[in-house]
């Protein structure tokens, strides 16, 4: 500050601890520190919500800065501006005196300017014989320079938050579009699945989107929509895999039927030529080839479930897509107590806990093995955790698990809606995995 003493306001305006703190802060300006007044003003505009300013207060600050003679604010050049109310009103777009006084008070309360009042409350400056300002009374912009680094950091954070909000809105819009079109495609193609329930969930999520929302409000909605989209993609991908398997089996069957149309090996007993006797030159009476030369169906990959598909179940072995472990534990916190040491740090811990809970719930080993084969071990453990969380509502956990396994093999079961229902039922509370 210009003065080395505390200055109090003129007239009836009271002194406050905030004013005293601002004056003390203004006295901490580092020697040689300077900032462009307009760059600093733009930073204040960016950080306006964090600073508690209104747009009209910014208009008054803009007008005040026009009275500072240099572009660079520095302590060496003085930090007091002393316009009259009439001049300030003109540069503040014709703001009325009452409104002007109100927003000047807002700037003072925000700690961006200080009042340095003269004995009679007027704003003026005394100059020496050389024309240099010796003593000035008006508004000190010293707090702007003292808080320059803080203001710039607030502005940078505001820009980052705005960019994150924009990106989150874009991702949410794309996710909404994807879910809508995927559900429409599934219904048009008659893909098995509870698409009606998925549509109801989608509409409920869309209805929860506020007109003016923050990133904190949109982030959980985006996460839930992402899970719903993953479920839709999962069901559609399983339909595509099943169609490919059906096509491959049909092609292999045609190949078996057409590879040797004159062969009678399936209808007639094999003919073993005696030692020293040549086999017939044509196909009639040809000996059945040994096992190593027979046409064999390719063995499908067992997948993560360890169970190969068969004719009755062409998509068995194509396990469901597993969900993030953190989401599973958020939806099913009760399973944490059965993990090694009372904590679950990875999927292996969750599967170990599921074996303990399976026995406790009375689920037979064969039912759990079938679930692991049909869903994949991670998803089977996830379903066990869900059954434990809803234990009071399920009469026969073993029968319920077998039913879910059969529905999974038919492409009619999705884990996502079950998890999200439990997340909402638990109020979104999170516990550490360990």
């Amino acid at each position: 500050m210009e003065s080395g003493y505390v200055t109090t306001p003129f007239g009836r305006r009271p002194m406050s601890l905030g004013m005293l703190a601002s004056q003390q802060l203004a006295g901490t300006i580092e020697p040689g520190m300077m900032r462009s007044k307009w760059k600093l003003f733009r930073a204040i505009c960016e950080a306006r919500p964090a600073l508690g300013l209104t747009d009209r207060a910014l208009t008054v600050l803009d007008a005040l800065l026009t009275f500072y003679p240099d572009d660079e604010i520095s302590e060496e050049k003085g930090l007091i501006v002393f316009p009259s109310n009439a001049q300030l009103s003109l540069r503040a777009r014709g703001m009325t005196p009452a409104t002007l006084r109100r927003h000047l008070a807002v700037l003072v309360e925000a700690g961006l300017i200080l009042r340095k009042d003269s004995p009679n409350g007027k704003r003026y400056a005394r100059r020496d014989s050389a024309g240099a300002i010796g003593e000035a009374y008006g508004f000190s912009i010293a707090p702007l320079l003292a808080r320059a680094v803080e203001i710039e950091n607030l502005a940078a954070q505001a820009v980052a938050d705005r960019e994150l909000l924009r990106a989150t809105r874009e991702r949410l819009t794309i996710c909404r579009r994807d879910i809508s079109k995927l559900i429409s495609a599934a219904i048009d193609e008659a893909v098995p699945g509870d698409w009606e329930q998925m549509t109801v969930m989608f509409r409920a999520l869309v209805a929860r989107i506020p007109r003016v929302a923050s990133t904190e409000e949109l982030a959980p909605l985006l996460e839930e929509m992402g899970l719903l989209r993953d479920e839709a993609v999962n069901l559609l991908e399983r339909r595509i895999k099943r169609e490919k398997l059906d096509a491959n089996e049909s092609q292999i069957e045609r190949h078996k039927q057409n590879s040797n149309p004159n062969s009678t090996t399936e209808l007639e007993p094999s003919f073993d030529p005696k030692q020293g006797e040549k086999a017939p030159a044509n196909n009639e009476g040809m000996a059945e080839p040994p096992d190593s030369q027979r046409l064999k169906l390719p063995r499908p990959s067992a997948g993560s479930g360890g169970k190969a598909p068969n004719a009755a179940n062409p998509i068995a072995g194509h396990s469901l897509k597993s969900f993030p472990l953190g989401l599973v534990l958020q939806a099913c916190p009760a399973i944490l107590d059965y993990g090694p040491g009372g904590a679950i740090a990875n999927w292996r811990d969750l599967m170990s806990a599921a074996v303990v809970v399976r026995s406790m719930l009375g689920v037979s080993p064969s039912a759990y093995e079938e679930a692991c084969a049909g869903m994949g071990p991670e998803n089977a453990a996830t379903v066990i955790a869900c059954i434990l969380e809803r234990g009071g509502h399920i009469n026969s956990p073993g029968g319920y698990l077998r039913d879910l396994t059969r529905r999974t093999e038919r492409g009619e079961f999705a884990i996502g809606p079950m998890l999200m229902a439990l997340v909402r039922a638990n109020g979104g509370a999170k516990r550490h995995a360990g």
Side-chain angles (χ1 to χ4, degrees):
M1 288 178 60
E2 260 69 4
S3 61
Y5 55 86
V6 173
T7 177
T8 56
F10 171 78
R12 296 181 179 179
R13 290 192 297 268
M15 183 65 178
S16 68
L17 291 178
M19 292 180 186
L20 183 59
S22 296
Q23 292 180 26
Q24 291 176 343
L25 178 64
T28 62
I29 299 174
E30 297 180 3
M33 185 176 185
M34 58 178 57
R35 286 292 190 278
S36 167
K37 65 180 181 182
W38 298 123
K39 289 183 180 179
L40 192 55
F41 177 72
R42 283 194 291 272
I44 293 171
C45 291
E46 292 285 2
R48 179 174 68 85
L51 294 172
L53 299 177
T54 63
D55 54 346
R56 304 297 298 277
L58 289 178
T59 300
V60 175
L61 181 59
D62 178 37
L64 277 175
L65 290 176
T66 61
F67 290 98
Y68 192 80
D70 298 308
D71 182 68
E72 295 285 340
I73 302 176
S74 66
E75 198 169 15
E76 289 76 11
K77 299 176 183 178
L79 297 172
I80 301 292
V81 291
F82 40 89
S84 66
N85 281 346
Q87 292 173 321
L88 193 54
S89 177
L90 286 175
R91 296 197 189 184
R93 282 70 170 170
M95 190 176 292
T96 63
T99 305
L100 189 65
R101 287 192 296 270
R102 185 168 65 251
H103 292 296
L104 283 169
V106 170
L107 293 173
V108 172
E109 291 174 5
L112 296 181
I113 64 173
L114 288 174
R115 294 181 186 273
K116 186 182 178 184
D117 289 341
S118 65
N120 60 3
K122 301 294 183 180
R123 301 177 200 132
Y124 59 88
R126 288 198 178 96
R127 300 178 184 269
D128 57 20
S129 57
I133 296 177
E135 187 72 27
Y137 298 97
F139 296 104
S140 171
I141 58 174
L144 291 181
L145 195 57
R147 299 179 62 186
V149 175
E150 175 196 351
I151 291 170
E152 290 163 353
N153 290 337
L154 289 174
Q157 184 62 48
V159 172
D161 291 345
R162 186 171 64 246
E163 180 62 23
L164 178 60
L165 178 60
R166 182 196 61 78
T168 303
R169 284 187 176 277
E170 288 181 354
R171 291 173 57 194
L172 187 62
T173 299
I174 292 173
C175 196
R176 288 177 59 182
R177 182 185 67 198
D178 291 346
I179 295 173
S180 177
K181 291 185 179 294
L182 289 171
I183 292 177
S184 297
I187 295 174
D188 292 342
E189 299 289 339
V191 177
D194 194 356
W195 299 107
E196 182 177 353
Q197 176 63 22
M198 196 170 291
T199 301
V200 172
M201 293 179 64
F202 174 58
R203 289 175 178 171
L205 286 174
V206 172
R208 287 167 51 195
I209 300 176
R211 292 181 61 86
V212 180
S214 63
T215 305
E216 290 74 17
E217 293 173 319
L218 293 180
L221 292 174
L222 178 60
E223 182 181 2
E224 292 186 44
M225 281 202 178
L227 293 174
L228 197 60
R229 177 176 60 185
D230 290 344
E231 281 297 332
V233 171
N234 188 27
L235 292 174
L236 292 174
E237 286 180 346
R238 295 178 67 209
R239 173 58 178 267
I240 294 172
K241 290 177 182 178
R242 181 167 62 183
E243 290 179 350
K244 287 182 179 179
L245 287 172
D246 290 344
N248 289 340
E249 289 182 355
S250 176
Q251 182 178 2
I252 292 170
E253 185 64 27
R254 289 197 301 271
H255 182 65
K256 286 178 64 179
Q257 293 174 358
N258 300 331
S259 60
N260 194 357
N262 297 322
S263 174
T264 58
T265 57
E266 295 184 1
L267 302 177
E268 298 179 1
S270 60
F271 176 80
D272 295 328
K274 295 179 180 180
Q275 186 176 4
E277 185 175 342
K278 295 183 178 179
N282 55 19
N283 291 333
E284 295 181 0
M286 179 179 290
E288 183 176 1
D291 291 343
S292 61
Q293 299 178 5
R294 291 179 182 174
L295 178 66
K296 296 182 179 180
L297 293 176
R299 181 183 298 275
S301 171
S304 62
K307 184 176 181 181
N310 49 51
N313 179 20
I315 62 171
H318 294 282
S319 60
L320 296 172
K321 180 178 180 181
S322 60
F323 288 87
L325 179 61
L327 175 66
V328 176
L329 298 179
Q330 182 183 353
C332 311
I335 194 73
L336 285 165
D337 297 330
Y338 300 91
I344 294 177
N346 49 51
W347 280 107
R348 183 180 298 276
D349 291 349
L350 179 64
M351 288 186 280
S352 299
V355 172
V356 176
V357 172
R358 185 274 305 165
S359 177
M360 184 188 71
L361 294 175
V363 177
S364 66
S366 62
Y368 187 58
E369 288 175 4
E370 290 177 5
C372 290
M375 304 177 184
E378 294 88 354
N379 288 304
T382 299
V383 171
I384 288 291
C386 292
I387 293 175
L388 173 65
E389 201 68 28
R390 300 179 57 198
H393 305 281
I394 299 174
N395 295 327
S396 175
Y400 184 61
L401 181 62
R402 288 186 186 274
D403 179 63
L404 294 183
T405 303
R406 287 191 294 267
R407 289 171 58 191
T408 299
E409 294 172 348
R410 295 196 300 267
E412 298 174 355
F413 172 61
I415 298 179
M418 177 187 291
L419 282 176
M420 296 315 303
L422 288 174
V423 168
R424 288 192 294 271
N426 291 332
K430 295 185 179 180
R431 291 174 61 183
H432 293 292

